[in-house]
Amino acid sequence: MADHASIYAGQADVYEEMIAKQPDLSGVLEEIRPFDGLDAADVGAGTGRLSAVLGPRVRSLAAFDASTAMLDVLAGKLRSRGLTNWRTEQADHRKLPLADKSVDLIVSGWSVSYLCNSDVPGYRSHVHEIVGEMKRALRPGGTIVLFETMGTGTATPAPPPFLLDYYETLEQELGFSHRWIRTDYTFGSLAEAERLTRFFFGNELAAQVVRNGWTVVPECAGIWWLHV
């Protein structure tokens, strides 16, 4: 498996090239919480997969990530679209630089799981700590929306075993609703599909891509949301 921390710190541009091959998520977010005119925050924002959806339509956007390199790509993306309603800041999910009751919507895509998987000591407490911090920053009636992996290279959900306890905690203990969607990657060629899947997901998936001749690589994502 690729070293994601190193990718986020030093290869944010290639990461952005990869995620640009996935579908727009604006409709999915809109179904859960219409977001025109809201004050929003993107936690673990990366290069702006969700921030780019929110930015043109929200009143304000605060984007946080542990990697300044990722935030630099995000900032360039929002700036190129002429947006001025946003800010970025390096931050930990467990201590968000947001005032109490200051935002209406908090989203996080493929990020909380890095602290809440069963390979991390104390992961159970992290789930409660992160969700508690999000609730602190939300106004009454606010919404949390989390996206996480349900498997790449599969057409039906096959979540990694080390995330199952985290997902169960969200649903059984914290009251989140849940559904899943397809977030397939559509590449321009088999060579591109092999290169970018190997870059982020490693040799096993890249070999599967080549073996199957995939230019469209199937992926499933879970969505968890909570109205508070």
Side-chain angles (χ1 to χ4, degrees):
M1 178 61 71
D3 181 349
H4 289 178
S6 296
I7 287 172
Y8 298 150
Q11 295 177 281
D13 54 342
V14 185
Y15 176 80
E16 169 62 18
E17 181 186 1
M18 182 189 72
I19 66 164
K21 309 301 181 183
Q22 291 188 287
D24 181 284
L25 295 171
S26 56
V28 176
L29 280 172
E30 184 76 22
E31 286 179 12
I32 295 170
R33 177 68 191 265
F35 53 87
D36 286 334
L38 300 184
D39 294 309
D42 188 355
V43 177
T47 58
R49 181 176 355 198
L50 298 177
S51 287
V53 168
L54 296 170
R57 295 174 52 185
V58 296
R59 178 167 60 181
S60 69
L61 173 66
F64 309 122
D65 200 274
S67 166
T68 56
M70 300 281 271
L71 291 175
D72 287 345
V73 174
L74 182 159
K77 187 186 298 185
L78 297 181
R79 200 175 289 120
S80 71
R81 298 180 185 187
L83 299 174
T84 59
N85 60 337
W86 54 273
R87 68 182 176 96
T88 64
E89 188 171 341
Q90 187 178 30
D92 187 295
H93 293 12
R94 295 162 292 185
K95 192 172 183 180
L96 300 175
L98 291 169
D100 293 354
K101 298 180 173 59
S102 61
V103 294
D104 307 295
L105 173 65
I106 296 178
V107 300
S108 185
W110 296 269
S111 179
V112 173
S113 54
Y114 283 104
L115 279 170
C116 296
N117 68 80
S118 59
D119 293 335
V120 176
Y123 73 95
R124 291 177 185 274
S125 64
H126 293 166
V127 182
H128 290 271
E129 190 175 5
I130 291 168
V131 172
E133 180 66 351
M134 290 177 173
K135 287 181 175 180
R136 176 194 64 76
L138 281 174
R139 295 178 180 131
T143 302
I144 300 169
V145 184
L146 308 178
F147 292 83
E148 300 286 6
T149 185
M150 294 291 279
T152 305
T154 178
T156 55
F162 56 82
L163 292 176
L164 293 177
D165 199 26
Y166 161 42
Y167 296 167
E168 184 177 339
T169 299
L170 289 176
E171 296 168 42
Q172 301 301 321
E173 296 184 29
L174 294 172
F176 279 72
S177 299
H178 168 64
R179 60 175 287 209
W180 69 274
I181 59 171
R182 289 281 291 273
T183 50
D184 299 359
Y185 296 84
T186 302
F187 297 103
S189 67
L190 181 58
E192 182 181 62
E194 179 188 5
R195 174 174 62 86
L196 290 173
T197 54
R198 191 180 306 278
F199 157 76
F200 192 75
F201 297 104
N203 294 333
E204 184 177 346
L205 181 61
Q208 185 182 7
V209 166
V210 172
R211 187 167 60 248
N212 292 327
W214 281 342
T215 56
V216 177
V217 177
E219 182 179 81
C220 299
I223 312 167
W224 288 263
W225 67 94
L226 182 69
H227 302 296
V228 301

